[in-house]
């Protein structure tokens, strides 16, 4: 059943009951980042959807408007853990929006094949959702943040990058802050500037899907460009350590955490790691085939939580949103 067809109601304690409201998001299906920055006139269009949850009452309102946290799922689509995170922030007085990039594209999982739609499309979806939510009469457009998980973490990092965001929402517009949970940083812009958007990454050092070292380098690049980016590394934590379910091996997962970073030129063209040359025709699949042929790829990787991991994430999540969105 698609996420939009599920009836979800939060019991948000002192902030009252909140029933999910479906919203359509006009977005696009770019083949790569260049398609967005250098050739946007030919972008294929589609609509995706998600659910908005508003607390019945909140002391976080300013001028009658609420701060909002957008939850962006990873390669397995919307999971119960993502809905639980939305419920947690609504119970704390924030509005929440759970984005579903998968249902409208008829995709159920990308763990075995991440090229079913591009990483550029995932980031475009996040910014397209911001455009819709920023116009909502009960949402404070200046206090919208997004937390992305795994592939969703990659999406929010790209959505914060001005070279990409400016092409979608215009110069200076976009998110107040981003929380990237165990993201993949295999695609990075040569100019990683995020201007005023604050970045926070939380990741486990036992992650088998994504490279903590690559993400550390991404955060340092953002800092060197003048941005605010911090990272918390949790000892022994696996990928998706916030799920609240036991650690398991996903046999069909196709991962290559040690593959070289694919950098992106200012016009959005990928720079091939072997040649150092920017090519606007390169797409995600080209880089992933290269990684496999070079011997970086493998099958199978673990996800899940040890006792206490999910609670650590919840504490970190709430502290970040309270501080940056108020």
């Amino acid at each position: 059943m698609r996420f939009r067809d599920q009836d979800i109601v939060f019991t948000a304690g002192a902030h009252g009951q909140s029933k999910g409201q479906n919203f359509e998001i006009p977005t696009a299906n770019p083949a790569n980042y260049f398609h967005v920055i250098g050739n946007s006139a030919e972008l294929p269009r589609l609509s995706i959807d998600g659910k908005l949850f508003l607390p019945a009452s909140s002391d976080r309102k300013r001028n009658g408007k609420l701060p909002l946290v957008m939850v962006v799922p990873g390669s397995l689509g919307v999971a119960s853990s993502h809905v639980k995170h939305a419920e947690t922030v609504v119970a704390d007085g924030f509005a929440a929006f759970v984005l579903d990039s998968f249902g409208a594209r008829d995709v159920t999982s990308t763990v075995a094949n991440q090229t079913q739609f591009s990483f550029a499309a995932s980031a475009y979806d996040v910014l397209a959702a911001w455009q819709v939510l920023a116009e909502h009469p009960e949402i404070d457009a200046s206090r919208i943040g997004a937390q992305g998980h795994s592939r969703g973490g990659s999406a929010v990092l790209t959505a914060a990058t001005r070279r990409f965001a400016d092409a979608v929402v215009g110069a200076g517009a976009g998110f107040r802050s981003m929380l990237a949970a165990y993201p993949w940083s295999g695609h990075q812009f040569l100019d990683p500037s995020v201007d005023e958007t604050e970045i926070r990454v939380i990741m486990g050092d036992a992650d088998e899907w994504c490279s903590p070292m690559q993400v550390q380098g991404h955060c340092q690049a953002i800092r060197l460009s003048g941005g605010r980016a911090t990272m918390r590394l949790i000892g022994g934590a696996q990928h998706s350590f916030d799920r609240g379910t036991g650690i398991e091996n996903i046999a069909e997962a196709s991962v290559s955490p040690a593959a070289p970073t694919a950098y992106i030129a200012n016009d959005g063209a990928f720079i091939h790691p072997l040649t150092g040359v920017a090519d606007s025709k390169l797409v995600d699949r080209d880089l992933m085939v290269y990684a496999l042929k070079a011997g970086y790829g493998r099958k199978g990787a673990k996800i899940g939580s040890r006792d206490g991991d999910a609670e650590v994430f919840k504490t970190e999540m709430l502290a970040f949103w309270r501080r940056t969105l108020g």
Side-chain angles (χ1 to χ4, degrees):
M1 180 186 295
R2 279 182 58 170
F3 182 59
R4 70 174 184 185
D5 298 325
Q6 300 174 31
D7 287 328
I8 298 175
V9 180
F10 296 159
T11 302
H15 296 288
Q17 192 179 76
S18 178
K19 182 176 181 178
Q21 309 167 43
N22 287 330
F23 274 77
E24 280 203 356
I25 307 296
T27 188
N29 250 340
N32 56 20
Y33 303 98
F34 178 82
H35 205 176
V36 176
I37 298 172
N39 193 23
S40 61
E42 297 184 7
L43 283 172
R45 302 290 173 173
L46 76 156
S47 289
I48 57 172
D49 44 78
K51 288 187 188 294
L52 176 66
F53 300 88
L54 299 173
S57 64
S58 175
D59 55 6
R60 299 195 183 280
K61 284 187 176 180
R62 296 179 191 166
N63 299 317
K65 296 191 175 187
L66 290 160
L68 178 136
V69 176
M70 184 188 305
V71 180
V72 186
S75 298
L76 288 166
V78 180
S80 59
S81 56
H82 305 124
V83 176
K84 183 65 176 176
H85 294 325
E87 185 171 20
T88 295
V89 298
V90 170
D92 208 57
F94 297 90
F97 183 77
V98 181
L99 182 65
D100 180 13
S101 290
F102 283 31
R105 291 185 172 97
D106 200 27
V107 173
T108 56
S109 169
T110 60
V111 296
N113 177 10
Q114 294 288 353
T115 66
Q116 294 173 75
F117 60 102
S118 70
F119 277 78
S122 290
Y124 198 108
D125 290 351
V126 172
L127 290 163
W130 178 88
Q131 288 180 301
V132 171
L133 295 166
E135 295 296 323
H136 193 286
E138 295 186 66
I139 302 302
D140 184 346
S142 69
R143 291 191 294 155
I144 299 178
Q147 70 176 57
H149 299 254
S150 191
R151 182 180 172 120
S154 304
V156 303
L157 290 176
T158 299
T161 304
R162 293 317 316 177
R163 288 285 177 181
F164 189 83
D166 287 356
V168 181
V169 297
F175 291 87
R176 175 79 164 268
S177 48
M178 298 294 208
L179 176 61
Y182 39 89
W184 181 63
S185 282
H187 296 167
Q188 297 181 35
F189 277 80
L190 286 177
D191 176 4
S193 173
V194 299
D195 286 352
E196 298 303 314
T197 302
E198 183 171 346
I199 307 296
R200 178 67 166 169
V201 175
I202 181 167
M203 191 170 191
D205 69 359
D207 197 310
E208 297 179 347
W209 298 64
C210 306
S211 164
M213 182 168 63
Q214 193 174 52
V215 179
Q216 283 178 312
H218 195 174
C219 289
Q220 177 67 352
I222 292 170
R223 287 194 292 269
L224 291 173
S225 70
R228 291 173 293 169
T230 58
M231 178 175 176
R232 180 179 177 186
L233 197 61
I234 298 178
Q238 297 280 350
H239 197 72
S240 298
F241 63 89
D242 61 308
R243 288 173 66 88
T245 57
I247 295 171
E248 60 178 315
N249 186 66
I250 306 298
E252 69 271 24
S254 182
V255 300
S256 54
T261 300
Y263 286 100
I264 305 160
N266 290 345
D267 66 356
F270 277 122
I271 300 169
H272 199 286
L274 282 183
T275 67
V277 175
D279 183 348
S280 63
K281 294 183 176 62
L282 288 173
V283 296
D284 295 16
R285 180 175 174 79
D286 296 319
L287 279 302
M288 291 182 181
V289 168
Y290 157 70
L292 291 172
K293 287 184 175 180
Y296 292 107
R298 63 180 176 81
K299 285 285 188 180
K302 296 184 184 68
I303 62 171
S305 309
R306 304 167 302 175
D307 288 347
D309 279 347
E311 192 62 30
V312 168
F313 182 84
K314 176 181 175 180
T315 300
E316 177 83 16
M317 175 184 72
L318 282 176
F320 182 71
W321 295 130
R322 288 168 180 169
R323 181 174 63 79
T324 64
L325 301 181

